[in-house]
Amino acid sequence: MTQTAPILAARDLVKFFGRRLAVDRVSIDLHRGETFALVGPNGAGKTTTLRMLAGLIAATTGHLELEGRPVSARSATRLRRMVGLLTESPGLWDRLSVQQNLMTYARLYGLAQPARAVDAALERFGLRDRAGDDAAQLSKGLRQRVALARTLLHDPVIVLLDEPTSGLDPESARGVRELVRQLQTEDRAVVVCTHNLDEVERLATRVGVLRTRLLAIDTPQALRARLFGTRVRVVLDGDAAPFAAILRSGGITDVRADGSSLSVVPNGATATPDLVRMLVEAGARVESVVPDTPSLEDVYLRVLDGGGGS
Amino acid sequence: MTDRVRALLAKEFADLRRNPGVFIPAILTSLVALALPFFVAVVVPVLTGEHLSDSSDFKTASEMFKSLPWTRMLDPEAAVQALIFQQFLVLLVVGPVAASMSTAAYSVIGEKQARTLEPLLATPVATVELLAAKVLGSFLPALLLTLTVFGLLLAGAATFARPGVYLALLTPQSLAIVFIAGPLAALAALQMAVCVSSRANDARGAQQIGALIVLPITGLLVAEVSGSIVLTVSLTMAISVGLVVLNVALLWLGVALFDRESVLTRWK
């Protein structure tokens, strides 16, 4: 994990809508060069958190720090200059062309050379041949591409993406994922709100599981290790059940047998080589030994079940 | 005017150019407002074969009108025609604005319904800039239409009315109505409509409440036509000063009423 100071930090953000608690004491540090995935069920407060991070709505209590300095109502404008927000819906003006949509935003962000910035965005996102088309004529994938172009038009260092691949076909979704990877290499801080855990797996350097409050926050690997331990899968030539019993009698408590394979959490006294030696000495024919990695979905569901705290 | 207001205005106008149908009510209202004085002052006497100045209904008014310095040279019939043209001037000025009211009332809530408001609010645009662009986006086309119709009224009066009648439309009183009080009243009405738009729960509510804003303007028109008030230069200027104050207050109120959080989280 990067050791640099966070570019944006949320400190104990709480948000009430009327009497309903939407977000409860959420603290997140966002660093340049990382992709932080915010996952959680519907109504968990992901979009509200994203809006607070974007300076769109104020927290009921708690605050944001931008480059180490607290963000006030007055300095929220500075925050908005540094943030690119992709909203859940592309939010394009349908009767305006792609170019007019982007040009309006280039001018709203006060870019010194708006026409050049729009030109560069059209080129980068492969929209040049559709520049004159009305937004209403675009497919959903293209609309999302225009929205992404708009999000990055002012070269923000903090990029907040709300469900960026929702409803897109696989090809368009892959394009968006490639873009997010690219953003990470451009030294930006990226936050992705999504339900797509496969996407999180592919993109995120850190993940936060939110259900009103942050239930867990860490790298995917660390969450796996914390919730499931460091498991190894040993595939044998033959029934694995008798050897599970041998391992248990040897002091390894977390052993699961499934057909010809064993899923084992080596303990401090018995590392993986010792484990393999025990099996071989017991007469097992070991075919393979590989890390047994639970899916992020397993991790997510375990966290929501109350199995893992921050 | 800031660059951001200009950017939003350019967007508003580009949107209007792609959707010229929204101008139809304003154009129709203007045409009616333009045709009415000609119908009453020029067509009706031709059809009935009677002079308006012979009617007792207009006698007092025409004598009063003839006493004004800039119309005393008119003959009785021309004085009555000038009086009618002047009285319909208010309708002509506020007609396009009244018709633009629904566009203004829809302006903010329309953005929300199209889901274009959230990315817009994520930019550094200030609330006052957003509201100014919304008001001007409705006001400037209405003003342009008003001035065009006023030009047509002048040309028509010079062509079809009695000689010298068009000069009554170029008096300080008329010009104050067309170029000062009218636009200020229009601006105030459209600001109110945008305020309503930023607080209403849905587009229908915004448009219905926006329509109510036309009532004071209609009241003014009725009062003027019925002779309850006479819009002299000094009264017009006094009203204009009041309208300037009202416009400043409405701008402040609009910014105070525009709750970013509410428009993002409560409207559906």
Side-chain angles (χ1 to χ4, degrees):
Chain A
M1 193 61 246
T2 178
Q3 296 301 309
T4 57
I7 183 147
L8 183 65
R11 301 278 179 249
D12 290 320
L13 297 183
V14 174
K15 186 67 191 175
F16 277 93
F17 291 119
R19 294 165 66 180
R20 186 175 70 81
L21 177 62
V23 172
D24 186 17
R25 286 168 293 154
V26 166
S27 293
I28 306 170
D29 284 355
L30 297 175
H31 298 85
R32 284 173 178 266
E34 79 162 328
T35 300
F36 180 83
L38 200 54
V39 297
N42 290 326
K46 298 188 297 294
T47 297
T48 300
T49 302
L50 215 60
R51 284 171 169 169
M52 287 193 282
L53 292 175
L56 266 178
I57 59 175
T60 307
T61 62
H63 67 279
L64 294 175
E65 289 175 6
L66 181 64
E67 294 176 321
R69 279 181 289 183
V71 176
S72 62
R74 188 177 288 267
S75 61
T77 304
R78 179 169 168 261
L79 172 65
R80 290 202 291 269
R81 280 183 203 283
M82 294 173 70
V83 168
L85 172 67
L86 177 75
T87 49
E88 195 174 346
S89 163
L92 305 178
W93 292 301
D94 278 346
R95 281 190 288 265
L96 267 59
S97 68
V98 170
Q99 186 152 28
Q100 285 172 321
N101 266 280
L102 294 179
M103 183 57 88
T104 303
Y105 276 88
R107 293 177 65 190
L108 287 174
Y109 279 107
L111 303 186
Q113 293 180 303
R116 182 175 289 186
V118 169
D119 214 40
L122 291 171
E123 189 67 43
R124 177 178 186 181
F125 288 89
L127 293 163
R128 187 172 293 289
D129 59 333
R130 306 301 298 268
D133 290 356
D134 286 356
Q137 297 172 349
L138 304 178
S139 66
K140 191 165 186 180
L142 271 175
R143 290 171 70 82
Q144 190 72 339
R145 227 192 292 171
V146 176
L148 279 164
R150 180 190 64 205
T151 302
L152 299 173
L153 199 56
H154 58 295
D155 199 22
V157 291
I158 303 158
V159 181
L160 309 176
L161 308 172
D162 197 356
E163 304 281 356
T165 58
S166 172
L168 297 186
D169 62 65
E171 191 184 356
S172 302
R174 188 168 64 179
V176 172
R177 283 195 294 271
E178 281 168 6
L179 172 80
V180 175
R181 274 195 209 96
Q182 200 179 334
L183 295 176
Q184 201 177 326
T185 64
E186 290 170 359
D187 209 27
R188 302 177 205 262
V190 183
V191 179
V192 183
C193 274
T194 182
H195 289 292
N196 186 338
L197 295 172
D198 178 51
E199 193 166 277
V200 175
E201 189 89 73
R202 294 175 195 217
L203 296 174
T205 47
R206 277 196 308 152
V207 58
V209 182
L210 184 73
R211 189 168 57 193
T212 306
R213 64 187 180 84
L214 266 178
L215 301 176
I217 180 169
D218 215 324
T219 62
Q221 298 81 355
L223 280 179
R224 281 193 184 93
R226 187 192 311 160
L227 294 173
F228 290 92
T230 308
R231 304 190 80 88
V232 291
R233 179 167 294 276
V234 183
V235 179
L236 306 178
D237 179 15
D239 186 15
F243 297 102
I246 290 169
L247 291 178
R248 285 191 198 102
S249 66
I252 300 173
T253 53
D254 193 347
V255 183
R256 297 175 202 160
D258 180 13
S260 63
S261 70
L262 293 165
S263 178
V264 186
V265 177
N267 59 29
T270 315
T272 303
D274 303 323
L275 176 84
V276 174
R277 195 176 58 247
M278 281 174 70
L279 288 169
V280 170
E281 285 173 356
R285 291 166 61 90
V286 177
E287 290 192 341
S288 64
V289 181
V290 292
D292 189 5
T293 310
S295 69
L296 199 56
E297 185 177 75
D298 293 333
V299 173
Y300 171 76
L301 293 174
R302 177 75 67 93
V303 171
L304 288 183
D305 269 355
S310 302
Chain B
M1 194 185 294
T2 67
D3 286 344
R4 284 191 288 268
V5 174
R6 275 195 287 272
L8 285 173
L9 259 183
K11 171 252 156 190
E12 294 288 328
F13 292 153
D15 194 55
L16 287 174
R17 277 197 297 275
R18 297 294 181 94
N19 187 25
V22 298
F23 288 118
I24 290 174
I27 291 171
L28 287 178
T29 309
S30 300
L31 290 177
V32 170
L34 181 64
L36 273 175
F38 286 101
F39 183 75
V40 175
V42 180
V43 177
V44 168
V46 170
L47 290 178
T48 59
E50 290 178 12
H51 291 298
L52 293 170
S53 52
D54 295 339
S55 165
S56 57
D57 293 340
F58 289 108
K59 205 169 181 67
T60 312
S62 73
E63 280 170 7
M64 183 191 78
F65 210 66
K66 275 202 71 175
S67 67
L68 297 174
W70 46 82
T71 52
R72 68 166 58 112
M73 302 303 292
L74 297 176
D75 63 49
E77 186 67 7
V80 174
Q81 283 188 341
L83 170 73
I84 291 169
F85 277 108
Q86 276 233 336
Q87 286 196 321
F88 276 98
L89 210 52
V90 175
L91 178 63
L92 190 112
V93 168
V94 300
V97 177
S100 301
M101 204 67 78
S102 63
T103 313
Y106 187 69
S107 59
V108 180
I109 203 163
E111 294 267 9
K112 174 63 185 171
Q113 287 189 328
R115 294 177 172 255
T116 51
L117 197 57
E118 187 171 0
L120 189 57
L121 292 179
T123 70
V125 71
T127 301
V128 67
E129 293 171 323
L130 176 64
L131 296 182
K134 290 292 174 193
V135 171
L136 292 175
S138 297
F139 173 71
L140 293 179
L143 183 64
L144 180 67
L145 187 59
T146 299
L147 297 181
T148 304
V149 173
F150 180 64
L152 291 174
L153 183 77
L154 275 178
T159 308
F160 300 109
R162 295 182 75 89
V165 168
Y166 76 97
L167 293 173
L169 298 172
L170 293 173
T171 60
Q173 177 193 359
S174 302
L175 296 178
I177 291 172
V178 173
F179 290 101
I180 301 173
L184 285 170
L187 197 58
L190 291 173
Q191 281 208 76
M192 278 190 256
V194 171
C195 283
V196 169
S197 185
S198 61
R199 296 297 292 186
N201 289 324
D202 62 47
R204 287 165 301 181
Q207 286 176 330
Q208 284 163 5
I209 297 169
L212 292 177
I213 295 165
V214 181
L215 286 178
I217 297 171
T218 311
L220 178 67
L221 181 68
V222 170
E224 208 227 352
V225 170
S226 67
S228 302
I229 60 165
V230 177
L231 287 177
T232 60
V233 175
S234 53
L235 179 59
T236 305
M237 294 314 289
I239 290 174
S240 298
V241 171
L243 285 170
V244 169
V245 175
L246 179 64
N247 272 296
V248 173
L250 283 171
L251 186 64
W252 175 84
L253 185 69
V255 172
L257 286 177
F258 190 88
D259 180 354
R260 283 174 179 245
E261 181 171 314
S262 161
V263 301
L264 285 176
T265 58
R266 291 187 197 157
W267 287 359
K268 295 292 178 201

